[in-house]
């Protein structure tokens, strides 16, 4: 059986109006064309839909049953058109995002809420994982977008990389806060909060101190910098930390006015990336959010640069 949407729409109008001429006017076709279409529909179905008596149409019992089916099919089609329209206008969609710890507390939730603010039908799945785990989740296509520390390139992952400055965080009433730039000499033998030995920021920071002939006093070892912000607030230590953690705490957090950021030189970098699966086509909604996230990272970088002269 080969029924067309136009046949069902025309049949519905005939049933509603009880007239070939009125149905023809409603669907924008001629009366003979509507008559031919109804006849063709009856032939396709194998039973009559109308009894024609004295120039009037009387629906058969089969026609009334077929109308119920037609209404259901056309209603579903209307809902589908509406849904596709919302997808096309980025009002509806699904996003599965895996995020590394530094951005999962404040930065990415803030970006996500801004993105979906006027999109009530967007469904989100957000998990926090280590950067190494995120790579595998994206490569295996279990998540649409990964936000992580920059991995070694691999064929199964597309990545957009960002190379950000790390910044020195200290109390606003600390004497070093009066300096426009912080160096290893300024932090010589002062208590520091740093990441674990294998982390790239720890390696870079230690190399900077060694090159300057200064002592790096490791008082606090962390897996991520975010809890270290509390220790800095209490005067327990200084930190040279990634920009996202610093920005999240001072710009997006509360009660952070007691802390300030200063540039640190020689430069210690923090490389982050937006990851997507390479072997599948990205949904339009996913591409749009990836672009929005990239713009948000650049905005953060510009904000920190402008506010703290980095």
């Amino acid at each position: 059986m080969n029924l067309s949407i136009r046949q069902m729409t025309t049949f519905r109008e005939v049933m509603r109006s009880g007239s070939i001429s009125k149905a023809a006017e409603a669907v924008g076709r001629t009366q003979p064309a509507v008559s031919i279409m109804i006849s063709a529909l009856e032939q396709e179905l194998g039973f009559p839909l109308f009894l024609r008596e004295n120039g009037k149409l009387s629906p058969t019992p089969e026609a009334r049953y077929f109308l119920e089916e037609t209404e259901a099919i056309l209603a579903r089609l209307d809902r589908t058109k509406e849904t596709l329209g919302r997808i096309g206008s980025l009002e509806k969609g699904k996003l599965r995002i895996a995020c590394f710890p530094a951005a999962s507390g404040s930065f990415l939730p803030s970006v996500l809420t801004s993105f979906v603010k006027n999109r009530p039908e967007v469904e989100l799945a957000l998990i926090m994982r280590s950067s190494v785990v995120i790579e595998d989740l994206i490569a295996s296509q279990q998540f649409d977008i990964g936000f992580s520390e920059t991995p070694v390139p691999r064929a199964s992952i597309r990545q957009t990389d960002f190379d950000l400055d790390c910044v020195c965080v200290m109390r606003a009433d600390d004497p070093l806060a009066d300096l426009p730039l912080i160096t290893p000499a300024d932090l010589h033998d002062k208590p520091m909060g740093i990441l674990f030995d294998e982390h790239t920021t720890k390696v870079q920071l230690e190399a900077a101190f060694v090159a300057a002939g200064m002592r790096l006093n490791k008082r606090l070892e962390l897996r991520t910098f975010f809890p270290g912000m509390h220790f800095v607030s209490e005067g327990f230590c200084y930190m040279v930390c990634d920009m996202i953690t610093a920005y999240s705490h001072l710009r997006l957090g509360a009660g952070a006015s007691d802390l300030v950021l200063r540039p640190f030189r020689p430069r210690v970098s923090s490389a982050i990336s937006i990851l997507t699966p390479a072997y599948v086509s990205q949904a339009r909604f996913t591409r749009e959010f990836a672009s929005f996230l990239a713009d948000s990272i650049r905005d953060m970088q510009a904000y920190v640069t402008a506010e703290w002269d980095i």
Side-chain angles (χ1 to χ4, degrees), residues 2-310:
N2 185 21
L3 303 180
S4 71
I5 300 301
R6 176 171 289 181
Q7 283 178 318
M8 288 187 283
T9 302
T10 302
F11 164 73
R12 182 178 63 180
E13 290 302 325
V14 173
M15 290 290 289
R16 287 177 174 178
S17 66
S19 166
I20 292 289
S21 60
K22 290 180 180 178
E25 184 178 348
V27 298
R29 298 180 66 84
T30 65
Q31 185 172 334
V34 170
S35 296
I36 292 171
M37 188 172 293
I38 294 299
S39 296
L41 181 59
E42 290 176 321
Q43 291 178 10
E44 188 70 34
L45 293 172
F47 53 80
L49 295 170
F50 299 97
L51 299 177
R52 296 159 176 84
E53 299 175 344
N54 300 320
K56 294 183 179 181
L57 292 179
S58 298
T60 63
E62 291 81 5
R64 300 188 188 281
Y65 175 78
F66 182 57
L67 178 62
E68 294 180 8
E69 296 296 313
T70 297
E71 294 277 16
I73 292 170
L74 294 178
R76 176 62 184 271
L77 180 62
D78 289 340
R79 290 195 300 271
T80 300
K81 288 179 179 178
E82 183 179 346
T83 298
L84 292 174
R86 291 197 299 271
I87 292 174
S89 62
L90 303 180
E91 294 177 6
K92 186 177 180 69
K94 293 182 180 181
L95 273 176
R96 299 168 302 167
I97 305 166
C99 180
F100 73 123
S104 64
S106 296
F107 181 76
L108 189 62
S110 176
V111 173
L112 272 171
T113 52
S114 295
F115 184 72
V116 302
K117 186 175 182 179
N118 297 314
R119 298 178 170 109
E121 295 189 70
V122 171
E123 298 178 23
L124 298 175
L126 174 62
I127 64 166
M128 181 186 75
R129 293 290 186 270
S130 69
S131 294
V132 173
V133 171
I134 290 172
E135 290 179 50
D136 291 335
L137 291 174
I138 297 300
S140 61
Q141 303 172 21
Q142 296 181 59
F143 280 76
D144 304 310
I145 290 182
F147 190 30
S148 73
E149 295 175 312
T150 298
V152 175
R154 51 200 283 190
S156 56
I157 294 176
R158 298 188 193 96
Q159 61 189 72
T160 303
D161 302 333
F162 300 86
D163 188 27
L164 306 177
D165 285 338
C166 288
V167 296
C168 187
V169 189
M170 68 195 76
R171 288 179 56 90
D173 58 3
D174 191 283
L176 294 184
D178 293 331
L179 300 177
L181 184 74
I182 304 300
T183 68
D186 301 314
L187 297 175
H188 172 67
D189 209 25
K190 287 184 166 53
M192 297 290 295
I194 60 178
L195 296 190
F196 52 96
D197 287 344
E198 299 82 10
H199 198 273
T200 177
T201 58
K202 161 63 164 57
V203 173
Q204 293 177 73
L205 186 65
E206 192 168 47
F209 273 73
V210 169
M214 302 297 160
R215 179 173 181 265
L216 177 61
N217 178 4
K218 182 177 73 174
R219 190 177 188 192
L220 174 66
E221 182 176 310
L222 301 158
R223 295 300 297 181
T224 68
F225 280 119
F226 195 80
M229 303 297 283
H230 176 77
F231 287 91
V232 177
S233 294
E234 294 297 319
F236 184 84
C237 63
Y238 300 82
M239 284 199 311
V240 176
C241 77
D242 68 283
M243 188 180 290
I244 284 183
T245 296
Y247 176 84
S248 297
H249 192 76
L250 274 74
R251 175 64 173 168
L252 305 176
S257 59
D258 59 330
L259 299 181
V260 295
L261 308 184
R262 293 293 180 265
F264 181 83
R265 295 294 182 270
R267 182 176 185 265
V268 174
S269 66
S270 172
I272 60 173
S273 298
I274 300 171
L275 312 178
T276 55
Y279 296 142
V280 293
S281 298
Q282 283 184 312
R284 184 166 175 256
F285 195 82
T286 303
R287 293 197 305 271
E288 187 72 12
F289 177 70
S291 177
F292 187 84
L293 176 56
D295 289 341
S296 299
I297 295 169
R298 297 184 189 100
D299 289 344
M300 172 201 67
Q301 191 174 17
Y303 179 89
V304 173
T305 301
E307 290 294 312
W308 290 286
D309 298 325
I310 296 175

